């Protein structure tokens, strides 16, 4: 009997011998299949921890860059983050869409500041507008809520050359946040906000690989309610890392947030004589 060698289907190919599974850059539009669940789609985004696939129906899902986690033309592969593209002759763009400043050294920080509600807000602003903020010398700090905003503003002592911009979640007519913001009145302070209950929802659902952000009933903590509705077996901190990892540029964010952050950066960057 002719010996055709070892059965290629024998064994667990998801635990391959070292060096047997090829590493493939997750280039845009590369079509692969999730080896575990069978989701098939084209690469639309990739960072150092995860890749986002979009199927032919426009549905997106985010997968970790685990060894041998995908099939390419039916064969197991390990997807890796593509190498950075070589610099072009034209001006580069930052994640916010602004013209990137080459060889940037951060400007000495202004006395003016931008305050956001929490650490998640701050990390999202840094990821998209970090370059712009360093160009302007603007520091972002977080408040852990806005209940004490009037007192916090008074303690900051805004004035000429010392402006304060504040980004508030869920700033809609009739909300608690709108009533608190209305107590702040100073030509050197600008309070703006977005309509979302939480900064998570300012990320477009398509970027995260979901159809929409779930409706969470009153009385249930919003983040925990979202995680449960989506079936994510994650703690809120891990869920946020997954969401933030799926954000690449300003195009992954809702316009209601984009305009407000740009407005704040412009406001606190105005040159004034103290």
């Amino acid at each position: 009997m002719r010996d055709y060698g070892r059965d290629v289907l024998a064994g667990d190919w998801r635990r391959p011998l070292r060096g047997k599974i090829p590493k493939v850059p997750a280039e845009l539009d590369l079509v692969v299949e999730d080896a575990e669940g069978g989701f098939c789609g084209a690469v639309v985004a990739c960072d150092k921890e995860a890749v986002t696939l979009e199927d032919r129906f426009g549905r997106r899902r985010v997968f970790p860059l685990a060894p041998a986690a995908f099939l390419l033309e039916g064969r197991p592969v390990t997807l890796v983050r593509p190498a950075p593209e070589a610099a072009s002759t034209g001006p580069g763009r930052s994640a916010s869409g602004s013209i990137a400043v080459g060889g940037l050294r951060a400007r000495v920080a202004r006395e003016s500041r931008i305050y956001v509600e929490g650490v998640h807000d701050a990390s999202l602003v840094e990821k998209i507008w970090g370059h712009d903020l360093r160009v302007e010398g603007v520091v972002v700090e977080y408040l852990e809520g806005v209940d004490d905003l009037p007192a916090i503003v008074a303690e900051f002592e805004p004035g000429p050359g010392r402006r304060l911009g504040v980004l508030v979640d869920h700033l809609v007519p009739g909300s608690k946040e709108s009533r608190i913001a209305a107590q702040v009145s100073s030509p050197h302070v600008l309070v703006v906000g977005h309509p979302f209950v939480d900064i998570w929802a300012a990320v477009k659902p398509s970027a995260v690989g979901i159809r929409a952000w779930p409706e969470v009933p009153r009385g249930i903590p919003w983040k925990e309610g979202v995680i449960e509705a989506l079936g994510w077996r994650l703690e809120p901190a891990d869920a946020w890392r997954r969401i933030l990892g799926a954000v690449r540029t300003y195009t992954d964010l809702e316009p209601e947030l984009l305009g407000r952050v740009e407005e704040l950066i412009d406001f606190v960057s105005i040159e004034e004589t103290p």
Side-chain angles (χ1 to χ4, degrees):
M1 179 181 295
R2 180 176 298 178
D3 182 5
Y4 289 97
R6 181 177 178 271
D7 182 356
V8 296
L9 298 180
D12 186 353
W13 52 262
R14 281 172 291 188
R15 295 184 178 179
L17 295 175
R18 186 183 300 273
K20 296 296 184 180
I21 301 298
K23 294 182 178 181
V24 177
E27 303 285 356
L28 293 179
D29 298 325
L30 177 71
V31 177
V32 294
E33 180 182 349
D34 166 40
E36 187 71 28
F39 184 90
C40 183
V43 174
V44 294
C46 184
D47 60 27
K48 64 180 180 180
E49 296 179 349
V51 62
T52 303
L53 303 182
E54 181 178 290
D55 70 9
R56 61 192 182 93
F57 301 106
R59 296 174 299 196
R60 292 189 179 190
R61 288 185 59 185
V62 180
F63 299 93
L65 293 176
F70 302 92
L71 301 178
L72 176 61
E73 297 180 352
R75 297 180 178 274
V77 296
T78 296
L79 291 186
V80 296
R81 189 179 185 182
E85 296 181 3
S88 63
T89 56
R93 295 281 175 176
S94 70
S96 70
S98 63
I99 296 177
V101 179
L104 171 68
R105 294 184 62 184
R107 177 175 177 168
V108 175
R110 301 172 184 264
E111 290 190 51
S112 298
R113 292 287 188 272
I114 291 176
Y115 283 174
V116 297
E117 285 205 45
V119 65
H120 292 180
D121 308 63
S123 59
L124 183 61
V125 169
E126 164 60 28
K127 183 163 188 178
I128 299 302
W129 289 276
H131 176 86
D132 308 60
L133 293 167
R134 284 183 282 278
V135 168
E136 299 295 343
V138 175
V139 174
V140 174
E141 300 179 5
Y142 62 91
L143 304 172
E144 289 294 348
V146 296
D147 290 351
D148 299 322
L149 181 61
I152 291 171
V153 170
E155 182 180 0
F156 181 80
E157 297 182 345
R162 186 174 171 80
R163 291 188 160 208
L164 178 61
V166 183
L167 180 69
V168 178
D169 296 344
H170 199 228
L171 191 62
V172 296
S175 68
K176 177 194 75 172
E177 291 82 1
S178 67
R179 292 191 293 271
I180 294 173
Q183 300 175 38
V184 177
S185 177
S186 168
H188 308 293
V189 179
L190 176 64
V191 180
V192 300
H194 56 75
F196 309 108
V197 174
D198 190 275
I199 195 68
W200 289 17
V203 178
K204 290 181 179 178
S206 58
V208 187
I210 60 177
R211 183 168 297 177
W213 289 105
E215 294 289 335
V216 178
R218 287 182 177 273
I220 297 177
W222 193 84
K223 289 184 175 70
E224 287 77 2
V226 165
I227 291 170
E228 182 177 357
L230 293 176
W232 291 355
R233 297 181 178 180
L234 299 170
E235 294 296 322
D238 296 321
W240 173 243
R241 280 192 286 271
R242 175 174 178 172
I243 294 166
L244 187 63
V247 176
R248 302 294 299 277
T249 72
Y250 71 98
T251 60
D252 293 321
L253 303 181
E254 299 288 1
E256 293 91 337
L257 175 66
L258 295 173
R260 301 295 74 77
V261 176
E262 297 283 355
E263 188 177 356
L264 288 177
I265 294 175
D266 289 343
F267 178 78
V268 299
S269 300
I270 293 176
E271 298 285 353
E272 291 183 310
T273 302

